[in-house]
Amino acid sequence: MAKHAPEMPIEVDSETGVWTTDALPMLYVPRHFFVNNHIGIEEVLGADAYAEILYKAGYKSAWHWCEKEAECHGLSGVAVFEHYMKRLSQRGWGLFKIQSIDLDKGTCEVRLDHSAFVYVYGQCGRKVDYMFTGWFAGAMDQILQAQGSSIRTQAEQVYGASEEGHDHGLFVVKPL
């Protein structure tokens, strides 16, 4: 397996220890730590309730991220979404690839390979990447609003690599 150094800028404040990439502070944690916390919360709340909480929180976070990164890099439109997918991929969540995107219609399809969640859950017969759904809608809606569009969206995972018969995940974003 070929390896390479991170492809995004990382700065560490000497006084505070805070890591920053581009315009935002970051945390660097082991995958098992994050996913084990995710599993623990899911066991208490149930996957459906936890998915609903994560959708709302992820939507808000993606909106904020896209707004700050667009400003930091002078990006707009599809370029913001492309940058978001690139950074998510570079940060180890999985490899995200835009299959299609149409801002005029408020639609998008994203393929996910090598999901951090699937690496831990394996093929368990259910979708485990639900954390990402709110991210896609939040990103899309921030971009749409920045362009002056009144379209708002929702996202759903169609299938995941954790389900039999699939080797990747697929997410769809469409208007409400």
Side-chain angles (χ1 to χ4, degrees):
M1 171 189 331
K3 297 184 181 195
H4 62 273
E7 298 172 347
M8 60 187 166
I10 300 170
E11 295 178 344
V12 181
D13 185 296
S14 298
E15 288 185 32
T16 65
V18 172
W19 288 42
T20 305
T21 293
D22 298 329
L24 296 166
M26 306 295 285
L27 298 174
Y28 182 61
V29 299
R31 179 175 61 205
H32 75 274
F33 172 83
F34 186 88
V35 177
N36 285 339
N37 277 278
H38 179 87
I39 290 168
I41 295 167
E42 187 180 77
E43 287 173 352
V44 172
L45 299 179
D48 292 339
Y50 191 37
E52 186 176 329
I53 292 166
L54 287 175
Y55 190 96
K56 292 174 186 173
Y59 179 98
K60 181 179 178 179
S61 296
W63 183 296
H64 178 78
W65 190 96
C66 288
E67 187 173 55
K68 295 298 180 191
E69 288 293 297
E71 181 181 301
C72 177
H73 296 287
L75 301 172
S76 64
V78 172
V80 178
F81 203 88
E82 290 170 340
H83 180 63
Y84 190 40
M85 295 303 102
K86 178 182 176 181
R87 285 294 194 244
L88 290 177
S89 297
Q90 291 172 328
R91 292 188 345 234
W93 292 107
L95 298 179
F96 295 85
K97 183 177 181 191
I98 300 167
Q99 300 289 297
S100 66
I101 187 166
D102 186 330
L103 297 181
D104 292 333
K105 293 180 182 176
T107 61
C108 183
E109 288 188 4
V110 176
R111 176 184 171 128
L112 172 59
D113 288 286
H114 306 288
S115 163
F117 292 101
V118 174
Y119 275 138
V120 176
Y121 280 87
Q123 282 228 322
C124 62
R126 67 182 179 90
K127 295 173 189 73
V128 296
D129 301 310
Y130 53 83
M131 179 176 214
F132 304 131
T133 55
W135 298 9
F136 301 136
M140 180 69 89
D141 287 1
Q142 189 284 323
I143 294 162
L144 290 168
Q145 179 172 299
Q147 292 188 159
S149 174
S150 61
I151 297 173
R152 292 300 171 264
T153 65
Q154 62 186 9
E156 68 175 317
Q157 184 175 15
V158 180
Y159 55 81
S162 56
E163 297 177 287
E164 189 172 328
H166 299 287
D167 65 353
H168 66 278
L170 180 67
F171 297 83
V172 173
V173 180
K174 58 188 174 187
L176 291 172

